[in-house]
Amino acid sequence: MTTVDDPGRERSDVAGAIVWISADLDLRDRVAAVLGRRYGADYALVAAADGPAAERELAATGHDVALVLAGLGEADTDGLAELDRLAAGHPHAVRATVVRWGDFEAAETVFAAIAVGRLEGWVFRPRSAGDEQFHLAVTELLDQRAGRREAAGEAVQVVGEPHAARSHELRDMFARNRVPTRFYPADQPDGQTLLATLGLTEPELPVVVLRFRPGQPVLTNPDAVEIAAAFGLLEPVAELGVFDVAVVGAGPAGLSAGVYASSEGLRTVVVEPLAMGGQAGTSSLIRNYLGFPRGISGSRLAAHAYEQAWSFGTTFLWSRHVTGITADEDQRVLHLSDGAELRSRAVVVASGAEWRRLDVPALDPLLGHGVFYGAPVTEALGVAGKDVYILGGGNSAGQAAVFLSRFARSVTVVIRKDSLASSMSDYLIREIDALPTVAVHPRVQVVDARGEQTLEALVLEDVRSHERTEVHADALFVMIGSVPHTDFLGADVARDRWGFVLTGPDAAVDGHVPLLFESSLPGVFAAGDVLHGSVKRVASAVGAGATVVSMVHQYLQALDQPS
């Protein structure tokens, strides 16, 4: 066994351990040397012949595991089994295998392991110390791990009640916007010490400390506008002038529209009330998005898109929502929640949708106290060792089940249909089938709940026999479809009976047929989940955001034509 670590270092000096397992001594030493030169300053590096040997070394050092790499090849036929044994005790650790480039026989094994959730990815053996493809893959894996834990940098500190709905909302908002945040429970010594340091006695919780801002502002139970103001993000709208296109919403469709509109020379603004990424921003790992073979978290994908749009010149207005859209000759006026008016020649409505609420009154007082809509990554630690239920059969529910299974004692997916096949991607179904702690209960609905301070039990009903069963439950994540954010649209924008925006031929008025993605109000377009008949996939939303920009160009060109 080889340990590439300084035993004198304190635990706080490192970001965790990188564990490298291989029975091939020569390969083990070569890869350990490459890892040590690049990552030795920040991580404890442990190289061992098998999982038990690595575990003994970890026990001696006390380091948490960030990444487990296991060899797979001639000398490492049991590499995946060794990885499984070690990773089982370290749920935050990212798991990957190291293979030889050109070992096509191993490819099927690797892809099968990824398909059932045993691996997050693979890395080709380094050809030299400066093999940047090797280091890029390792860095991406480490970034996945960083996204699973609250950031140690503590740009923002939040002190609150662990199960309070408001604490949940703030942690979710900061996580989705990739703000380095640490949460301090108010009833624990760390939280009490921080409050005392701030000179606060029985403040209204949660308390938010912006450590990265001058003067380190302290906010008590702030709303989104107060947070944005403290962040320095409330740019006066009146000084912005008239835009070519205003995008409502910073989900995948809105961010895509922002990227393509700005890159093609249109003066573009995006208005977002909460967090970039929309519902996709809560996904722990999206594995079927084109171009990311190892998968990518929803928040990271959104962050990349935001940076891309910003680099092209897109203006972003945060923490304000649109309350109405009216026409003023050739301009469209967006009325904002703070009373300001934003003017643009065209508008793209990409405001997305929110999870449909379950009509079970007993769940309402437990919201944030074991009951959640969606499945933010920030709740993973809260369900460690507990029994979790997920209501819903779409891809988001499947991704939540796979991710939470790493922490929870059990995960049960509840669906009204006979199976997941009609609503969930095959790769996720196979992952769920392979997880021993995940069960699927078909033809069942949630009809009641029990719990005083937090959720304690659910009442399930068979949709055919109507027989009811009470089951113990520590947490329920509801993911049963979406309701579009279109209430702010007036009567001039035609919608279907569910509130989704009608466009193109479906929105024809008095013989006038709007452009593709154009609504019944000229110059107002729609993209993403708000569209009538839209496919609820990230790639579809991104494609719609790109396509709608070409429609906006046609509309603006027609406006500029002499009458």
Side-chain angles (χ1 to χ4, degrees):
M1 176 173 62
T2 304
T3 303
V4 192
D5 185 28
D6 177 0
R9 280 196 294 180
E10 298 291 334
R11 292 185 63 184
S12 59
D13 293 336
V14 298
I18 297 176
V19 179
W20 158 230
I21 299 172
S22 177
D24 184 330
L25 177 60
D26 179 62
L27 175 64
R28 187 165 74 243
D29 287 346
R30 284 192 289 113
V31 174
V34 172
L35 289 169
R37 280 191 290 267
R38 184 65 65 94
Y39 308 100
D42 297 317
Y43 292 87
L45 301 172
V46 174
D50 55 35
E55 195 68 80
R56 287 193 296 271
E57 180 63 29
L58 286 167
T61 62
H63 295 304
D64 190 17
V65 178
L67 171 64
V68 182
L69 298 172
L72 185 64
E74 303 86 350
D76 292 308
T77 55
D78 294 331
L80 291 182
E82 296 293 345
L83 185 148
D84 288 340
R85 281 194 288 270
L86 180 65
H90 304 276
H92 281 294
V94 176
R95 301 158 296 176
T97 187
V98 179
V99 297
R100 175 174 56 82
W101 191 95
D103 186 0
F104 301 114
E105 290 77 12
E108 184 175 351
T109 300
V110 171
F111 296 149
I114 291 174
V116 297
R118 294 177 69 189
L119 292 175
E120 269 83 17
W122 70 92
V123 180
F124 290 123
R125 296 178 184 177
R127 292 165 292 184
S128 64
D131 187 340
E132 297 304 332
Q133 287 299 315
F134 170 82
H135 290 301
L136 177 61
V138 171
T139 300
E140 288 179 345
L141 292 166
L142 291 170
D143 181 70
Q144 281 191 40
R145 188 263 187 173
R148 294 176 181 174
R149 301 180 65 89
E150 289 186 305
E154 298 188 34
V156 171
Q157 296 170 322
V158 179
V159 185
E161 299 169 293
H163 299 294
R166 188 65 185 132
S167 296
H168 161 75
E169 292 169 3
L170 286 177
R171 293 169 68 188
D172 182 39
M173 180 182 71
F174 289 133
R176 289 168 60 187
N177 284 304
R178 298 183 72 83
V179 177
T181 303
R182 181 176 174 184
F183 180 77
Y184 291 80
D187 58 352
Q188 297 297 315
D190 284 354
Q192 294 169 355
T193 298
L194 180 55
L195 291 176
T197 301
L198 296 171
L200 298 176
T201 303
E202 297 185 358
E204 184 179 2
L205 298 175
V207 171
V208 177
V209 185
L210 307 184
R211 300 180 70 238
F212 71 100
R213 292 291 293 170
Q216 299 191 3
V218 178
L219 312 176
T220 57
N221 192 21
D223 60 25
V225 173
E226 291 173 318
I227 292 172
F231 268 66
L233 297 177
L234 286 187
E235 191 171 0
V237 175
E239 300 175 7
L240 298 177
V242 179
F243 287 87
D244 293 315
V245 57
V247 181
V248 183
L255 290 169
S256 175
V259 168
Y260 283 93
S262 292
S263 68
E264 294 172 14
L266 297 178
R267 188 164 184 260
T268 306
V269 62
V270 176
V271 183
E272 169 56 47
L274 182 61
M276 57 188 175
Q279 282 192 28
T282 67
S283 294
S284 57
L285 189 66
I286 303 170
R287 281 193 43 234
N288 62 346
Y289 189 74
L290 186 67
F292 293 91
R294 297 177 179 85
I296 185 169
S297 70
S299 64
R300 185 165 182 80
L301 182 64
H304 283 329
Y306 161 70
E307 291 174 11
Q308 196 172 14
W310 188 41
S311 70
F312 280 122
T314 301
T315 297
F316 283 85
L317 295 180
W318 301 103
S319 300
R320 284 168 282 195
H321 59 268
V322 178
T323 60
I325 299 176
T326 57
D328 183 7
E329 297 183 348
D330 287 345
Q331 294 181 8
R332 299 295 171 260
V333 182
L334 282 69
H335 304 273
L336 305 183
S337 53
D338 62 352
E341 292 185 352
L342 180 68
R343 290 180 172 266
S344 181
R345 302 174 70 206
V347 176
V348 174
V349 177
S351 46
E354 65 180 356
W355 295 110
R356 182 174 289 114
R357 294 300 176 108
L358 197 62
D359 187 19
V360 177
L363 294 176
D364 294 340
L366 298 173
L367 184 61
H369 296 261
V371 176
F372 307 95
Y373 286 88
V377 176
T378 51
E379 296 306 319
L381 290 177
V383 302
K386 297 182 178 180
D387 298 314
V388 174
Y389 279 74
I390 296 174
L391 181 61
N395 273 12
S396 294
Q399 290 160 355
V402 172
F403 179 70
L404 294 176
S405 70
R406 300 170 68 98
F407 308 91
R409 176 170 56 193
S410 69
V411 177
T412 303
V413 180
V414 175
I415 56 173
R416 291 176 55 88
K417 296 181 180 179
D418 292 334
S419 74
L420 296 170
S422 64
S423 57
M424 188 178 293
S425 294
D426 180 68
Y427 82 91
L428 281 169
I429 295 175
R430 286 187 285 131
E431 284 194 53
I432 288 172
D433 288 343
L435 292 169
T437 58
V438 180
V440 179
H441 284 193
R443 300 179 297 277
V444 172
Q445 60 185 350
V446 177
V447 295
D448 205 351
R450 307 273 187 269
E452 294 296 329
Q453 301 299 319
T454 62
L455 179 67
E456 298 172 6
L458 294 171
V459 178
L460 307 180
E461 181 181 83
D462 187 291
V463 298
R464 295 178 179 175
S465 68
H466 302 294
E467 180 181 351
R468 295 190 173 190
T469 305
E470 184 170 308
V471 296
H472 170 73
D474 298 298
L476 171 67
F477 295 92
V478 182
M479 311 172 82
I480 54 172
S482 54
V483 177
H485 286 295
T486 57
D487 290 345
F488 63 92
L489 298 175
D492 290 336
V493 177
R495 286 163 281 169
D496 65 17
R497 62 193 179 104
W498 297 284
F500 293 93
V501 179
L502 299 173
T503 58
D506 292 334
V509 178
D510 297 330
H512 170 69
V513 179
L515 296 168
L516 182 67
F517 293 144
E518 187 179 20
S519 73
S520 54
L521 178 59
V524 175
F525 299 79
D529 286 356
V530 296
L531 275 173
H532 167 74
S534 63
V535 178
K536 304 302 187 289
R537 290 288 187 269
V538 175
S540 299
V542 171
T547 304
V548 74
V549 173
S550 64
M551 304 298 108
V552 171
H553 275 298
Q554 290 186 41
Y555 172 78
L556 294 178
Q557 288 169 2
L559 278 186
D560 293 336
Q561 294 295 322
S563 55

